[in-house]
Amino acid sequence: MTGRRRNGAGGGLVGRRQEGRRLAEAVGRLGAGASVLVEITGEPGIGKTRLLDELVKLADAADATVLAGRCAEYERQTPFSAFAGAIDVSVNPAHPDGAPPGLPAASPTAAEPTDGGAGPTPVTLPGLERVRVHRLMARRLAQAAAGSPLVVVLDDLHWADNGSLELLRYVLRGRSGTPLLLAVAYRPQQADERLVTALAETAPEFHRERMPLQALSADEIRTLVEAAGVACPPGLHARSEGNPLYAQALVAVGASADTSFTEGRDRSGDVTLAVSQVLLAEIQSLEPEETAVLRTAAVAGDPFDPEFVVCLARDEVTDAPAALARLRRRDLVRPEPTGPGLLRFRHPVLRSTVYQHAGPGWLLAAHMRAAAALSERGAPPTVLAPHVARFARPGDRPAAQVLVRAARSVLTSVPASAAHWLGRALTVLPAGDTAERGELSLLLAHACAAAGDLDRGREILHGLMAALPAEGEHRLRTVRLLSLVNRVQGRYQEGAAVLDAPSRASSPDAAASLALRAACEVLACDPQALGHAREAVRRCRDGQAAATRALCLGTRALVEACRGSIPWALASAASAGRLLAGMSDEEVAPLLDCLGQLGWAQVLLENPGRANVHFARGVKAAERTGQSHLSTYLLIGQSLALLREGDVPDALRACDEAEERSRLLRSDTMLALTLAMRAAARIWRSGPAAAAPIALSATRLGGRSGRNWWDEVAWRILARVRLLEGDGEDAIRILLRTGGGQGLPRVDVCTRPMWLAALAEGELLCGRAAVATALLDSALCEPAAARLPAQRAHVLAAMAHAQLVGGYPAQAASTALRAAATFRRSGQPLDEGRCRLLVAAGRRAVGQPEAAQAELAKAWSIGRSCGAHWLRDQAAYHSGQLAAPPPDAAHAAGHRTGRSPATGAAEPRRAGRPAAATRPAALTPREREVVVLVQDGLTNGEAADRLHVTVKAVEAHLTRAYRKLGVATRAELAAMLPYERPDPASEPVWTAPSATSAEGSAQSARTKDDRQVTPSFR
């Protein structure tokens, strides 16, 4: 076996035969290339660690690399403690982009004063770099495997620090880049909410094995005790209630220990107290020197360096090495498998018992000795801080300095640990140091916000504002950070309100504060935003720094775009872009708000390429400086810009990055918008069936009433999904509610034509063509339709659909062709491809199959080059349909296929048209599995057994599949063509049909579609 973990258990496994068999199966799955998560849970002493040791033996036999780590009760703030025994968890800030990459070079902290006259005061939420740290740690895990199967064993995760849990979540979301078997053990009653969440969010590619351990039987307890060479005393099972550790402890102290197991439990039923009572009797039987060494080891850590413990115990013990050797013989301490030369306690409860009964005075002195010895050895602040935090008293400035240095060193990687140490430092710092306490409080608020404890951060900042003078640099930074935290939480009105006083001041920073206030107001849909954005630009004309002018102009560009003043928006965006282009990366770092607002403005102004330049520059600066909230905002915008440019894979990757950061910040607002953008990209990648649950999740997180700009965006994307699913009524309801009623007055002026066109599509789906025509007429009269070409093209595309429905296929083809050309000139290929499908539908309806095939080939090519599998599949499917005679003009909108070429949505099927004539829809992976099994003749119960789910789950999947496929019985489902799974390695190849054999060509295309393309049509 390679790796850091060595099997430290001896003897056979008692009473866990079934669990052992499941562990062997898990190792087998890993050998076959699958990732596996094994969760071992139970009360203290029930045998979790012993089962992990058995897994190590099995992995050893399979020639796997085994890495292991443990968490300890008194070191819960030590960063990445769970993984410290498995991999090198250190990072090198001096080489952020080298090999191996680490954190960015340290930048000035937010608590350090800045020159407010040089431009807008930078406000950051440190912590973004931890995403890069997670990538680094995951890469180290993969590298440790060295080509062999990888097993990672993590024990006592209920004591894990926040950094370890974040890294665990990152790995479990499939980001490690290599198959692995991850085995974790923890006490469920003490499990942190973050641990439960990390496990619950495990990626689908992990096979999960849950093993809640139960008590041993009387025979198993007897076998366990007799295996140690002693007789099993009568009544041992009853007194221990089958807990192996408790039973062994009772035997170790002799028959005189008659403590009842149930009497020793606490009110929650935890057995720790019961086991501790018996272990205490064992400890009290030791010699004084042995007790002293054991107490010193409890202070040193678990595991601990025996040489270090001997050094610390010399003042109390004459022969510490001999005492330590006797402790090993009594099996109170034993070798640590994760590190050569280290020792560990026989069980964590033993260490806890020793520590708690050492006496407070002795513990203070011992921690002081440990900190002094570690300092002499050159230990970093993060190693000193756990000891200093335990002995420091108010007024101890040197101790406070150690804690602050430790906090600063992990502020960007584990902000939760930084917040803990900063909070402790504030209790130690002398009371008279008002200025220093204010700086540390501001830094603590930063750390809390970055760690996702946004409410605590807001509370600290409100307290600071109450204590600070009405003016001054410190108050300005406090106010801006409070505004930023409010934005992260979606409290846009509050974020604007706290900037009211700074924006009215006569200081040089007033213009920047007013611009930031306008940015909050536009997100809150506050009409004051436009006036404040214009006033900010007027204020910064004379003598202001270029950074302030860029911020004000970028904000104005966004607000003017939202309010429909397209010329002013374009002019402001151009001026801000020129200012930013002349700045270095260091000068741009405080201006990520400006880059974000300018990027969003360019997206709205139909310049996705320019937008992506601003977003990419902002993301790079954010990763270097740790501005986590703004990086999320930038990545969300970048995903939309990439989608407009037609880069679906990169748009989804940007969503992945944004989601990681949103979850680290624990911001529902940012996560909701990230999911909304993911749903928009997933439509093109996999179709509406895959996008629908994502869009629903976004709206549930963001709010049900569309209270602000982000919420409304999420709901409108859900409306788009509903249109593609054929649910016109729901789409109309959503658009009218979030848009403010008829005419959509609450929708941004620059995007209103597109959403009016979507509303018209919904009316067409509901059979109200006259209403749809009126909506399209009003959309063409919107200012944005005249000034923004792509907005007009959206209206033209919907108009082409209406013409198809109305029986004018030739006009529809001509209108759709104009829309496609406009989208092409605007650099939006995906919408161009959608319009090509419309052109093909019109050409087919007027008996021009060759022209239709040419348009479908263009749409297919766009879908393939953009990674838009759904568009590609639609084009391939319609190519196959050209074998059928063209429908009459009145039904040219797609009633024969049950699909609208304008939107790709299912349309109401007319009577007499069999559902089996259509191809299967874009089912979810599980629904496809159920359909295939039913077509093979399996019953619901047999399908449930095959898929390892309940019968009710199969019935639910089957019901949804019936609805999507348009069938009502199993017989109709069985009569359909078998739903084949596509080979992901194969890419469909377009072959244009021959002009001399239309039917043969169409049959060829249909055969190709059946074999290679995942159909997304009902």
Side-chain angles (χ1 to χ4, degrees):
M1 176 184 68
T2 60
R4 298 190 176 205
R5 175 81 183 210
R6 305 185 310 277
N7 177 34
L13 198 62
V14 176
R16 306 295 183 200
R17 181 176 302 174
Q18 181 179 358
E19 287 84 356
R21 183 167 56 252
R22 292 172 66 188
L23 289 177
E25 292 173 355
V27 173
R29 289 178 185 272
L30 176 65
S35 292
V36 185
L37 170 64
V38 176
E39 298 175 50
I40 303 175
T41 60
E43 62 185 14
I46 201 64
K48 300 183 296 295
T49 301
R50 179 65 188 86
L51 207 55
L52 290 178
D53 288 335
E54 183 67 17
L55 174 61
V56 171
K57 291 171 61 177
L58 294 168
D60 184 14
D63 293 326
T65 297
V66 183
L67 305 176
R70 294 177 61 225
C71 302
E73 182 177 7
Y74 299 109
E75 288 79 30
R76 300 189 193 188
Q77 300 303 329
T78 302
F80 303 112
S81 59
F83 292 86
I87 57 173
D88 178 13
V89 296
S90 63
V91 292
N92 185 2
H95 304 284
D97 299 312
L103 290 177
S107 57
T109 65
E112 296 173 356
T114 58
D115 182 8
T121 304
V123 178
T124 67
L125 292 184
L128 172 64
E129 285 88 346
R130 54 189 155 154
V131 177
R132 300 180 68 188
V133 173
H134 297 163
R135 293 195 204 114
L136 171 64
M137 301 301 177
R139 189 157 52 247
R140 288 177 179 172
L141 282 173
Q143 291 169 350
S148 62
L150 177 61
V151 177
V152 180
V153 176
L154 303 177
D155 202 359
D156 292 326
L157 274 185
H158 49 278
W159 288 325
D161 65 285
N162 195 63
S164 294
L165 294 177
E166 290 175 350
L167 178 55
L168 173 69
R169 180 186 163 278
Y170 185 88
V171 172
L172 286 176
R173 286 176 64 81
R175 307 298 170 82
S176 64
T178 184
L180 76 149
L181 192 161
L182 180 61
V184 300
Y186 61 93
R187 304 174 189 173
Q189 288 185 329
Q190 300 177 30
D192 189 282
E193 178 186 356
R194 294 165 298 180
L195 171 59
V196 176
T197 301
L199 296 172
E201 293 177 352
T202 299
E205 55 261 35
F206 274 87
H207 174 80
R208 297 183 68 178
E209 289 284 353
R210 297 179 179 87
M211 300 184 188
L213 301 186
Q214 306 299 323
L216 298 181
S217 66
D219 290 340
E220 290 165 348
I221 287 291
R222 181 181 306 105
T223 302
L224 180 70
V225 172
E226 292 175 350
V230 296
C232 182
L236 179 63
H237 179 264
R239 284 153 56 190
S240 67
E241 288 193 3
N243 184 287
L245 176 66
Y246 193 24
Q248 291 172 326
L250 286 170
V251 171
V253 300
S256 61
D258 57 358
T259 305
S260 169
F261 187 76
T262 52
E263 290 174 358
R265 288 182 182 268
D266 61 20
R267 293 181 179 179
S268 66
D270 190 2
V271 304
T272 304
L273 178 60
V275 176
S276 179
Q277 289 174 348
V278 181
L279 292 175
L280 182 60
E282 185 177 1
I283 295 166
Q284 290 171 344
S285 68
L286 300 175
E287 296 294 331
E289 288 198 347
E290 295 169 353
T291 302
V293 171
L294 198 61
R295 289 187 304 181
T296 304
V299 168
D302 190 19
F304 59 87
D305 182 353
E307 293 183 3
F308 183 64
V309 169
V310 167
C311 177
L312 290 181
R314 282 175 180 169
D315 293 341
E316 294 184 80
V317 180
T318 57
D319 192 356
L324 189 57
R326 292 194 295 272
L327 292 174
R328 289 189 62 177
R329 286 195 295 271
R330 299 187 64 153
D331 196 31
L332 290 169
V333 297
R334 55 180 60 165
E336 166 58 34
T338 63
L342 299 181
L343 297 176
R344 67 173 180 177
F345 283 82
R346 183 176 71 206
H347 195 277
V349 177
L350 176 60
R351 184 205 180 188
S352 177
T353 302
V354 172
Y355 190 93
Q356 291 176 7
H357 289 83
W362 184 91
L363 287 173
L364 286 175
H367 280 293
M368 291 181 68
R369 291 197 305 271
L374 289 168
S375 182
E376 290 177 1
R377 296 185 176 197
T382 52
V383 175
L384 300 176
H387 296 287
V388 173
R390 293 190 177 277
F391 70 73
R393 290 294 178 265
D396 190 344
R397 180 179 292 277
Q401 292 172 343
V402 171
L403 293 170
V404 172
R405 286 198 300 272
R408 289 184 185 276
S409 69
V410 299
L411 193 60
T412 59
S413 56
V414 192
S417 295
H420 171 78
W421 287 329
L422 287 170
R424 187 73 178 90
L426 281 169
T427 66
V428 174
L429 198 67
D433 294 336
T434 305
E436 189 172 357
R437 294 181 70 85
E439 293 291 341
L440 286 183
S441 295
L442 184 57
L443 191 60
L444 174 59
H446 274 278
C448 290
D453 195 350
L454 298 169
D455 288 333
R456 186 186 177 199
R458 289 179 67 249
E459 182 181 353
I460 294 169
L461 291 168
H462 277 296
L464 265 177
M465 288 183 61
L468 289 171
E471 295 183 356
E473 177 65 23
H474 194 186
R475 183 178 184 85
L476 181 61
R477 287 189 284 122
T478 301
V479 166
R480 290 192 179 172
L481 179 58
L482 179 57
S483 176
L484 177 57
V485 171
N486 280 321
R487 283 170 59 187
V488 174
Q489 291 188 299
R491 303 170 183 264
Y492 302 118
Q493 290 287 13
E494 292 182 37
V498 299
L499 289 166
D500 179 62
S503 65
R504 296 175 184 274
S506 57
S507 68
D509 286 306
S513 296
L514 188 58
L516 293 173
R517 177 181 178 180
C520 290
E521 289 168 340
V522 74
L523 294 176
C525 302
D526 189 331
Q528 297 183 92
L530 184 58
H532 289 153
R534 291 174 175 175
E535 177 63 23
V537 173
R538 282 194 292 270
R539 287 193 193 183
C540 70
R541 282 177 180 168
D542 299 325
Q544 284 284 351
T548 301
R549 296 203 309 274
L551 175 62
C552 295
L553 286 166
T555 303
R556 181 175 181 178
L558 175 62
V559 178
E560 297 279 11
C562 290
R563 297 297 181 260
S565 304
I566 308 301
W568 281 109
L570 289 169
S572 299
S575 298
R578 286 192 295 269
L579 286 169
L580 290 169
M583 296 182 186
S584 66
D585 289 343
E586 288 71 22
E587 291 172 318
V588 164
L591 294 172
L592 299 194
D593 248 324
C594 176
L595 284 169
Q597 288 150 19
L598 187 55
W600 278 100
Q602 294 287 18
V603 168
L604 295 175
L605 294 171
E606 299 182 357
N607 296 312
R610 294 178 188 173
N612 198 26
V613 170
H614 296 311
F615 287 133
R617 190 180 186 189
V619 169
K620 182 179 178 181
E623 287 194 348
R624 184 173 52 82
T625 58
Q627 301 185 60
S628 51
H629 159 59
L630 293 175
S631 74
T632 308
Y633 174 65
L634 292 161
L635 283 163
I636 293 169
Q638 186 179 41
S639 70
L640 181 57
L642 288 166
L643 194 61
R644 292 282 175 87
E645 287 188 296
D647 193 343
V648 177
D650 278 351
L652 287 170
R653 278 190 284 271
C655 288
D656 288 341
E657 293 290 323
E659 183 175 350
E660 285 295 323
R661 288 154 175 78
S662 299
R663 292 187 184 278
L664 288 175
L665 284 172
R666 293 189 239 177
S667 169
D668 286 346
T669 299
M670 291 291 100
L671 182 57
L673 188 58
T674 299
L675 294 176
M677 293 300 108
R678 183 191 296 281
R682 186 57 64 182
I683 288 172
W684 294 103
R685 187 71 168 182
S686 309
I694 304 173
L696 275 173
S697 297
T699 57
R700 289 166 182 159
L701 283 169
R704 297 190 58 84
S705 59
R707 295 185 300 272
N708 56 57
W709 198 47
W710 294 142
D711 288 347
E712 291 176 0
V713 168
W715 278 102
R716 287 176 201 139
I717 290 174
L718 177 62
R720 178 74 71 190
V721 172
R722 291 294 184 243
L723 283 175
L724 295 171
E725 290 182 318
D727 192 346
E729 292 290 359
D730 198 32
I732 293 169
R733 179 183 60 80
I734 293 171
L735 289 172
L736 290 178
R737 190 186 68 211
T738 60
Q742 295 296 330
L744 307 183
R746 286 176 55 185
V747 175
D748 297 329
V749 175
C750 60
T751 61
R752 193 176 295 158
M754 176 178 65
W755 292 112
L756 284 171
L759 196 60
E761 297 278 8
E763 296 292 353
L764 287 173
L765 285 174
C766 297
R768 298 188 285 267
V771 177
T773 301
L775 284 168
L776 293 172
D777 288 342
S778 78
L780 285 176
C781 295
E782 287 287 328
R787 296 185 178 274
L788 296 175
Q791 288 297 310
R792 184 175 183 84
H794 281 291
V795 181
L796 291 175
M799 189 175 292
H801 181 203
Q803 289 166 342
L804 276 171
V805 171
Y808 302 97
Q811 294 91 325
S814 177
T815 304
L817 200 57
R818 289 170 54 201
T822 304
F823 279 127
R824 184 177 67 253
R825 289 192 297 270
S826 301
Q828 298 187 24
L830 294 173
D831 285 305
E832 179 195 347
R834 177 172 63 94
C835 292
R836 296 288 176 192
L837 296 180
L838 272 168
V839 178
R843 298 295 189 219
R844 177 192 176 190
V846 296
Q848 298 176 354
E850 294 143 356
Q853 281 287 8
E855 294 298 327
L856 291 173
K858 292 176 183 178
W860 184 92
S861 180
I862 291 171
R864 182 179 184 275
S865 62
C866 294
H869 297 168
W870 189 58
L871 175 61
R872 179 199 68 190
D873 294 349
Q874 288 185 71
Y877 172 70
H878 279 297
S879 174
Q881 294 298 305
L882 283 175
D888 58 272
H891 295 185
H895 291 297
R896 282 194 185 276
T897 63
R899 180 69 54 168
S900 161
T903 65
E907 294 199 351
R909 187 180 295 107
R910 299 191 175 188
R913 303 207 180 269
T918 63
R919 290 295 312 275
L923 304 179
T924 66
R926 182 63 84 184
E927 289 166 355
R928 287 201 300 270
E929 290 178 326
V930 171
V931 167
V932 170
L933 293 176
V934 170
Q935 288 181 328
D936 288 343
L938 274 67
T939 65
N940 289 356
E942 290 169 340
D945 292 340
R946 181 76 61 86
L947 298 175
H948 304 288
V949 298
T950 64
V951 175
K952 287 186 177 180
V954 169
E955 292 172 350
H957 290 306
L958 201 54
T959 299
R960 288 192 290 269
Y962 279 177
R963 184 175 67 250
K964 292 178 180 181
L965 300 177
V967 299
T969 67
R970 299 173 81 90
E972 288 183 274
L973 184 62
M976 299 183 72
L977 291 175
Y979 198 98
E980 299 176 6
R981 295 178 177 83
D983 180 3
S986 66
E987 184 75 23
V989 179
W990 179 270
T991 302
S994 168
T996 60
S997 179
E999 183 170 295
S1001 299
Q1003 179 62 38
S1004 174
R1006 185 162 53 247
T1007 303
K1008 186 178 298 292
D1009 180 48
D1010 290 343
R1011 183 178 66 255
Q1012 295 179 317
V1013 179
T1014 306
S1016 57
F1017 281 73
R1018 305 189 235 284

